[in-house]
Amino acid sequence: EVQLVDSGGGLVQTGGSLRLSCAASGFTFDDYAICWLRQAPGKEREGVSCISESSAYYADSVKGRFTISSDNTKKTVFLQMNSLKPEDTAVYHCAATPAIWFSVSDDGSPPRDGMDYWGKGTQVTVSS
């Protein structure tokens, strides 16, 4: 059974940091692209960051502040989020799709849909 368990969200002040984790099981980790997507109330889902075959991709809104990494031995992907802003407040989901099917959006940003497996999400709230 494929499982993605995302965790690490919480409440932080502006400028603070959080590290999200996505623990994967039930599929060949190395063959998949893993992404973080977020959705805030009343807003469209946004692709935040992806890692696929050792390449990392970021939305412009998080470049320079967020870093995605993976521990293949633990089958876990991390999203280190620094310099958090109130506009980063959202539910963050990790999601996976086979690397051979992975592609970025036309503008080079991480995809906002088209993923095959999803975690349940973790809430990130940044207070001003």
Side-chain angles (χ1 to χ4, degrees):
E1 179 188 3
V2 173
Q3 273 196 320
L4 294 173
V5 180
D6 35 32
S7 62
L11 172 63
V12 295
Q13 292 184 333
T14 297
S17 298
L18 284 172
R19 189 174 82 152
L20 305 184
S21 298
C22 175
S25 61
F27 59 90
T28 305
F29 186 78
D30 293 353
D31 293 342
Y32 276 70
I34 307 290
C35 295
W36 288 96
L37 302 94
R38 67 186 181 187
Q39 187 156 23
K43 294 186 178 180
E44 288 189 348
R45 183 189 300 149
E46 178 185 16
V48 176
S49 181
C50 298
I51 187 164
S52 179
E53 298 178 308
S54 300
S55 293
Y57 306 86
Y58 298 95
D60 287 344
S61 58
V62 306
K63 281 180 182 175
R65 300 188 297 122
F66 291 11
T67 303
I68 193 168
S69 62
S70 68
D71 184 335
N72 289 9
T73 60
K74 296 182 178 179
K75 298 185 179 181
T76 300
V77 170
F78 303 98
L79 185 68
Q80 179 67 43
M81 306 188 297
N82 298 329
S83 302
L84 283 161
K85 305 175 181 180
E87 51 263 45
D88 294 318
T89 295
V91 177
Y92 286 69
H93 296 265
C94 69
T97 193
I100 58 171
W101 296 342
F102 172 77
S103 63
V104 297
S105 300
D106 291 342
D107 61 359
S109 61
R112 65 176 66 181
D113 54 25
M115 309 302 286
D116 291 272
Y117 306 112
W118 291 80
K120 291 183 177 180
T122 185
Q123 175 72 45
V124 172
T125 303
V126 185
S127 63
S128 57

